[in-house]
Amino acid sequence: MDETTSLTEVAATKDPTERKAPADAQPTRKAVKKKSTIAKLAIICVLLMAGMIFAFCPMRFGFTKYSPFINSINLGLDLEGGVYAVYQATNTDTDNFESKMEGTRSALENLLVSKGYPEATVVREGSNHDRIRVEVPNVKDTSAILNIIGEPAQIAFVLDNTKETVLTGEDVVGAQAFYSANDGGYVVSLELTSEGEDKFYTATSNNIGQTMSIIVTIGGESTTISSPKINSAISGNAVISGGFTADSAEKLANQIMSGTFDVALELKESETISPTLGKNALKYGLIAGIVGFALVIAFICVVYRMLGVAASLSLLIYTVVYLFFLATLPWVQLTLPGIAGILLSIGMAVDANIIIFERIKEEYRNGKSIMAAYHAGFKKALFAILDSNVTTVIACILLMLLGTGSVSGFALTLLVGVLISLFTALLISRAFIRYFINLNSYNDKLYNLKRGTMYAGLSADSTDAAIAQAMQLEEDIKKQRKEEKQKEKELSRKAKVANKEKNKGGETA
């Protein structure tokens, strides 16, 4: 036997406490390209610093002033100030109430956007969806907004050549979008009263080839929503065609129905929020976020050391990417619940890293080298992280679909944060840890890793031979089972051939 004891022989020792590597046994360490690793880390850190500067620091380039994209995030009513109002329909006992309410909501939203309030939100609420809630941030003249909202929409069918009003909302019973094979696409069908049918027939028969504009008026503001051409005299219900999609046809039908809304909206509650309150709330929310972020980074760096440093760098990249998406996604409007969603997603990003680190510690404790524990830790933590985050994503989607206002804003910011956290935890953190291990794969204290009692004699970059033997034994068993299954298949095939030959009356081998 050689004087140098092999790992296999150490693993075979009966007493676990005797599994100590001899002092003269030096582990074989793979040469790594440390210079290239350092260069990669330096490039990433430079890009991270540039991202932080572009995210938070205003700058001037010649005559151009750059505003950081954190300033481009749309703020909600509770942060920027403004006005909100809740209106209720005074009479819900009317035909096609659902379509009329949805049409009114759509018309109000379009009007506020056209008046220069793109951040305005108009949603329906209430047990019967008989209320309309309007939130308009950054409003100076709140009384003008309330006056516009309080007036119902009006619809008019006007001949373009004579400017004659042919029909009003009182003549329209309903409007419905559907697919018509005869017209080769989606169309909008108009159902008119008997008096409206007479008016329409007279107007269309005398103006064949002319156009008729459909005009919606709210608060004195008129908008032409469609200008169909009159192809023939229409004696009954009319059909509007012209290359509609399902969504555009449904939108036009709702807009027409909004003009038939014959019940005014009654103001139930309204409130003006001061911009000062919003700025204070935003300031304290940011302070809470920064303090919490700093405490989280300090905690993971103390507990996991270089693994925590890798996670901290990953979290900084996460923050820059998160702010970029909040600034560029047009439907994001940051509110106080939205800030809560951001903080919660940061916590979930840290949680994913901790799951991975605990897996790495467990693998190292059970005898694997630092590099092997790193690979196994990420592999085994993957499905646990995906499962926990998929449930959160499903909950966010449901809240966005079913919730309104601040609930929907909270769900959206949390959803964006969770998706970005998955990217940074599974890819960015992994890259940083790999680079650190390339620089030092033999000092387990650097990563706060500890061996179990059974493997205390193994160096940090050695692999326990007992584990290797167990893995080889498992492979041998799988191979043996595979061979047995192949033999069974071969015997079954021969038996079938023999039975077939016997049934034919021939001799069998």
Side-chain angles (χ1 to χ4, degrees):
M1 183 183 297
D2 295 337
E3 293 181 1
T4 303
T5 306
S6 69
L7 286 173
T8 304
E9 291 172 345
V10 173
T13 306
K14 292 183 180 181
D15 187 2
T17 59
E18 296 178 5
R19 299 187 181 191
K20 303 286 185 178
D24 58 344
Q26 296 295 331
T28 302
R29 290 164 183 163
K30 295 181 180 180
V32 294
K33 299 179 180 179
K34 292 188 176 181
K35 290 184 178 180
S36 63
T37 299
I38 294 173
K40 291 177 183 178
L41 283 173
I43 292 172
I44 294 175
C45 290
V46 169
L47 293 176
L48 175 58
M49 289 298 298
M52 298 288 287
I53 292 173
F54 281 103
F56 297 103
C57 302
M59 293 175 288
R60 182 177 292 277
F61 300 98
F63 297 100
T64 304
K65 185 177 181 181
Y66 169 77
S67 178
F69 49 76
I70 191 174
N71 293 338
S72 301
I73 300 175
N74 294 326
L75 300 181
L77 185 68
D78 51 355
L79 297 179
E80 195 170 19
V83 61
Y84 85 88
V86 178
Y87 290 87
Q88 183 169 16
T90 57
N91 183 14
T92 59
D93 188 15
T94 181
D95 295 335
N96 300 314
F97 174 76
E98 179 70 20
S99 298
K100 293 177 180 180
M101 281 292 289
E102 179 58 29
T104 300
R105 185 208 65 79
S106 177
L108 285 173
E109 185 175 55
N110 293 335
L111 173 64
L112 290 171
V113 171
S114 66
K115 296 289 288 183
Y117 303 105
E119 295 86 8
T121 57
V122 184
V123 296
R124 294 172 59 190
E125 61 181 21
S127 57
N128 298 322
H129 285 182
D130 56 351
R131 291 189 174 194
I132 293 181
R133 181 185 182 93
V134 182
E135 295 182 355
V136 187
N138 195 20
V139 177
K140 296 180 180 178
D141 188 0
T142 58
S143 60
I145 295 294
L146 295 177
N147 289 336
I148 292 175
I149 297 170
E151 297 184 18
Q154 297 176 350
I155 193 81
F157 291 72
V158 180
L159 291 169
D160 290 341
N161 57 340
T162 63
K163 304 303 179 183
E164 175 190 356
T165 299
V166 178
L167 299 176
T168 63
E170 296 178 356
D171 301 311
V172 181
V173 176
Q176 185 178 5
F178 67 95
Y179 183 84
S180 173
N182 295 331
D183 294 287
Y186 286 92
V187 298
V188 177
S189 173
L190 297 178
E191 183 181 355
L192 307 176
T193 64
S194 57
E195 184 178 354
E197 290 180 358
D198 294 337
K199 294 179 183 178
F200 210 53
Y201 176 74
T202 301
T204 55
S205 60
N206 294 331
N207 294 276
I208 296 176
Q210 301 296 323
T211 58
M212 178 182 291
S213 294
I214 305 173
I215 301 174
V216 174
T217 303
I218 302 180
E221 296 287 337
S222 298
T223 304
T224 301
I225 59 176
S226 182
S227 297
K229 183 179 179 181
I230 301 173
N231 295 325
S232 62
I234 302 173
S235 59
N237 294 336
V239 173
I240 305 173
S241 60
F244 291 112
T245 64
D247 292 336
S248 62
E250 185 68 28
K251 180 179 179 181
L252 178 58
N254 288 335
Q255 288 176 322
I256 293 174
M257 289 304 298
S258 72
T260 67
F261 191 61
D262 55 356
V263 180
L265 298 175
E266 180 183 357
L267 179 64
K268 283 296 183 181
E269 59 177 297
S270 65
E271 183 177 351
T272 301
I273 299 177
S274 169
T276 304
L277 283 175
K279 290 179 180 179
N280 288 336
L282 179 61
K283 180 179 71 174
Y284 292 126
L286 289 175
I287 291 174
I290 293 171
V291 172
F293 191 79
L295 290 176
V296 166
I297 287 181
F299 170 78
I300 58 178
C301 287
V302 169
V303 175
Y304 298 101
R305 299 181 187 176
M306 290 305 294
L307 296 178
V309 173
S312 300
L313 293 173
S314 175
L315 284 176
L316 291 175
I317 294 176
Y318 163 88
T319 302
V320 173
V321 175
Y322 198 179
L323 291 176
F324 174 77
F325 276 99
L326 291 179
T328 55
L329 292 177
W331 54 84
V332 172
Q333 192 175 58
L334 191 60
T335 61
L336 281 177
I339 293 177
I342 293 174
L343 298 179
L344 181 58
S345 63
I346 292 175
M348 296 187 69
V350 176
D351 181 61
N353 282 280
I354 289 177
I355 292 175
I356 294 170
F357 297 162
E358 289 299 323
R359 285 287 190 179
I360 292 175
K361 292 175 69 174
E362 180 182 353
E363 295 297 324
Y364 183 79
R365 186 165 52 248
N366 291 334
K368 291 186 177 180
S369 66
I370 293 180
M371 183 62 77
Y374 150 77
H375 285 291
F378 270 93
K379 183 178 180 180
K380 293 184 178 181
L382 174 63
F383 291 104
I385 294 172
L386 289 179
D387 289 344
S388 62
N389 283 275
V390 164
T391 55
T392 305
V393 168
I394 293 174
C396 290
I397 293 174
L398 291 176
L399 286 176
M400 290 173 60
L401 294 176
L402 303 178
T404 59
S406 58
V407 174
S408 179
F410 166 79
L412 180 58
T413 54
L414 179 58
L415 175 63
V416 174
V418 168
L419 295 178
I420 298 175
S421 70
L422 280 174
F423 168 76
T424 54
L426 297 178
L427 295 179
I428 306 299
S429 292
R430 184 168 189 164
F432 276 123
I433 295 173
R434 176 60 182 269
Y435 294 151
F436 290 158
I437 294 176
N438 283 345
L439 295 176
N440 191 319
S441 63
Y442 47 86
N443 186 356
D444 53 5
K445 293 181 179 180
L446 195 63
Y447 307 97
N448 199 20
L449 301 176
K450 295 181 181 179
R451 292 288 193 194
T453 304
M454 186 178 297
Y455 307 101
L458 291 176
S459 60
D461 53 354
S462 296
T463 301
D464 185 21
I467 294 180
Q469 284 183 344
M471 293 173 64
Q472 185 61 44
L473 179 61
E474 185 177 352
E475 291 295 326
D476 292 341
I477 293 174
K478 288 181 180 179
K479 184 176 180 180
Q480 183 179 358
R481 289 177 179 175
K482 186 176 181 180
E483 291 176 352
E484 290 176 353
K485 288 182 179 180
Q486 289 179 345
K487 289 181 180 179
E488 291 177 359
K489 289 181 179 179
E490 184 66 21
L491 291 174
S492 177
R493 186 186 66 79
K494 290 181 178 180
K496 288 180 180 179
V497 171
N499 289 333
K500 186 176 180 181
E501 294 293 332
K502 184 177 181 181
N503 293 334
K504 289 182 178 180
E507 296 182 358
T508 60

